[in-house]
Amino acid sequence: KTGVQLFTLEGAEHAYRVLIESMNEGALTLTADKTILYANQCFARMVKCPLEQVTGSSFRRFLSAADQATLRPLMKRAAKSDSKIQVPLHAGDGSQMPVQISLRSVARQGASRATIGMVVTDMTEARRSEELLRALTNRVVQVQEAERGRVALELHDGITQLLCGVLFRSQALADKLSARDGPLK
């Protein structure tokens, strides 16, 4: 006989929090004025700041003035559709990280003002792969051009030798014919 079994149900909110905290992307919720209401630990690592210095601060501090201006209309449109932008994220230590920011309006029960959900993806590896692919493509083009040049030179030299052989052979035949038939009158 088994004893009493106890089952507990964890709410969806707990599973959601565990998911958000364990993901490899930065996750944030912002007010319309770009105040960070929530940020996960991954985002704090991206900006190289303690989480308690990130939450409650302005997201603007992590973007250049030009990128803030670019982000402004996207945040306004976030209520109607998903928006994405790629920008450099400015970390607390002055370094920059290329990121893709995905925005979406998040409905909150009882909230009078809209909040924006944001996922920040580190694009460093993607950029590195793009650079490697670009360098590889350039190298392939250089090798192809060098091979074309080599083949063209080889063909030129080969054809020149064959033409010289044909010319000498033709001249020899012409000389032989003229010696046999005598001088032309």
Side-chain angles (χ1 to χ4, degrees):
K1 230 181 179 190
T2 61
V4 176
Q5 292 184 355
L6 180 63
F7 294 95
T8 59
L9 297 175
E10 293 181 347
E13 188 173 310
H14 174 74
Y16 175 77
R17 263 195 197 280
V18 169
L19 172 69
I20 295 299
E21 285 301 327
S22 64
M23 60 194 271
N24 290 324
E25 285 85 21
L28 302 101
T29 53
L30 309 174
T31 62
D33 70 354
K34 298 179 187 76
T35 300
I36 299 171
L37 298 173
Y38 168 82
N40 68 355
Q41 193 62 47
C42 183
F43 181 76
R45 282 191 303 272
M46 286 176 159
V47 294
K48 300 177 182 172
C49 290
L51 187 56
E52 51 276 0
Q53 290 179 14
V54 172
T55 305
S57 69
S58 175
F59 184 73
R60 289 184 198 104
R61 74 185 234 201
F62 302 114
L63 299 175
S64 70
D67 291 333
Q68 288 176 37
T70 304
L71 186 62
R72 198 171 295 122
L74 293 177
M75 287 189 72
K76 288 179 183 174
R77 281 194 308 237
K80 296 180 183 104
S81 66
D82 292 345
S83 298
K84 291 182 182 182
I85 184 175
Q86 288 192 14
V87 295
L89 193 65
H90 298 259
D93 67 356
S95 64
Q96 293 183 13
M97 172 188 288
V99 297
Q100 177 172 286
I101 298 174
S102 301
L103 304 165
R104 182 69 175 167
S105 181
V106 179
R108 288 186 13 199
Q109 289 181 332
S112 59
R113 297 179 69 190
T115 55
I116 306 293
M118 184 180 283
V119 175
V120 181
T121 306
D122 181 355
M123 299 300 289
T124 304
E125 270 311 304
R127 293 278 167 87
R128 191 173 296 129
S129 295
E130 287 172 6
E131 288 298 318
L132 287 172
L133 185 58
R134 201 172 293 119
L136 182 60
T137 301
N138 287 338
R139 183 69 185 126
V140 166
V141 168
Q142 289 172 348
V143 168
Q144 285 176 334
E145 286 300 317
E147 184 63 14
R148 275 191 204 107
R150 188 189 65 73
V151 168
L153 185 61
E154 216 173 272
L155 285 172
H156 176 268
D157 289 350
I159 289 172
T160 301
Q161 287 177 2
L162 287 173
L163 286 175
C164 285
V166 167
L167 181 66
F168 289 131
R169 182 90 169 135
S170 298
Q171 188 62 46
L173 286 172
D175 290 346
K176 197 174 192 182
L177 280 174
S178 65
R180 188 184 78 178
D181 294 337
L184 291 174
K185 298 182 186 171

